[in-house]
Amino acid sequence: MVAPAPPLLPVFRSRLQGDLLAALLVVPGTELTLTAIAERTGGSLAAVQREVSRLEEAGLLRSRRIGNARLVSADPASPATAPLTELVTLSFGPVQVLAEEFAEVADVDAVEVFGSWAARHRGERGGPPADVDVLVVGTPDRDVVHDAAARAEARIGLPVNATVVAPGRWETGSDGFVTRVRTSPRVPVPRVRPGPASSRR
């Protein structure tokens, strides 16, 4: 059975293709084995191998072999890499992953990405982000937040650091951390309904 195109951005063949491209494009210089891609995306090894071959034939990906391992990465020589990276990041990158993984976290008023990833996303120059900083405004169970962050980290491939801030503290902005975050680049994470591609994958 052919998987349907993802509703968020139906120009992609499937959700697997979008997740696969996000795994390889969102963090510059990423190189993964087929097995690692399958683990990251939740796809079968056979499906990942087929999709990688299609994208390699299209000139979007490249691969090399070390022993029995096939290492796959984005092809920086492709003129489509830069615009595709932007498109994939918007739809399948950290913001989308966080939206899915935090969908079932209760008592949350807002989730936002801040720090270096948000700065790069907003166009500020600098090195590739080493992690993803997440602000969670509300009164959620911190263990549930930690679990959601851990799942997101496994999918994104970067450390995910979630900080919970009570609504009153966020609204008053009375301490240094809140002031710094409020005045720095931030990317809102949409609150979505949990679905089949969410944390239960």
Side-chain angles (χ1 to χ4, degrees):
M1 188 175 83
V2 178
L8 182 64
L9 197 62
V11 297
F12 288 105
R13 287 169 45 87
S14 65
R15 179 55 186 266
L16 173 61
Q17 187 185 68
D19 283 339
L20 187 155
L21 286 169
L24 294 170
L25 296 179
V26 169
V27 179
T30 296
E31 187 176 52
L32 299 172
T33 64
L34 294 175
T35 299
I37 295 171
E39 292 173 350
R40 185 83 57 89
T41 62
S44 69
L45 186 59
V48 167
Q49 187 169 9
R50 287 193 299 269
E51 201 59 62
V52 165
S53 295
R54 290 191 189 100
L55 293 169
E56 192 170 359
E57 289 174 6
L60 297 173
L61 300 179
R62 63 182 182 181
S63 64
R64 64 189 180 97
R65 288 193 175 274
I66 296 182
N68 293 326
R70 181 180 175 186
L71 295 171
V72 184
S73 61
D75 188 347
S78 172
T81 296
L84 183 60
T85 297
E86 183 176 356
L87 195 59
V88 166
T89 300
L90 287 171
S91 301
F92 298 96
V95 171
Q96 178 60 21
V97 169
L98 290 166
E100 293 176 354
E101 298 299 352
F102 277 80
E104 294 182 337
V105 180
D107 301 317
V108 171
D109 296 338
V111 179
E112 296 187 341
V113 182
F114 66 99
S116 59
W117 192 90
R120 299 295 90 75
H121 185 77
R122 292 300 190 192
E124 290 190 7
R125 294 186 177 183
D131 55 15
V132 178
D133 296 307
V134 182
L135 171 75
V136 181
V137 179
T139 56
D141 184 311
R142 290 177 184 267
D143 288 337
V144 176
V145 169
H146 177 271
D147 290 344
R151 292 192 302 268
E153 180 173 310
R155 293 178 60 189
I156 295 169
L158 288 173
V160 173
N161 309 309
T163 301
V164 177
V165 175
R169 178 186 172 196
W170 177 250
E171 291 169 5
T172 58
S174 57
D175 62 71
F177 172 78
V178 170
T179 299
R180 178 171 63 84
V181 174
R182 288 175 68 98
T183 57
S184 68
R186 305 196 311 274
V187 179
V189 174
R191 298 292 288 167
V192 300
R193 292 182 179 179
S198 72
S199 60
R200 293 188 296 271
R201 295 197 324 172

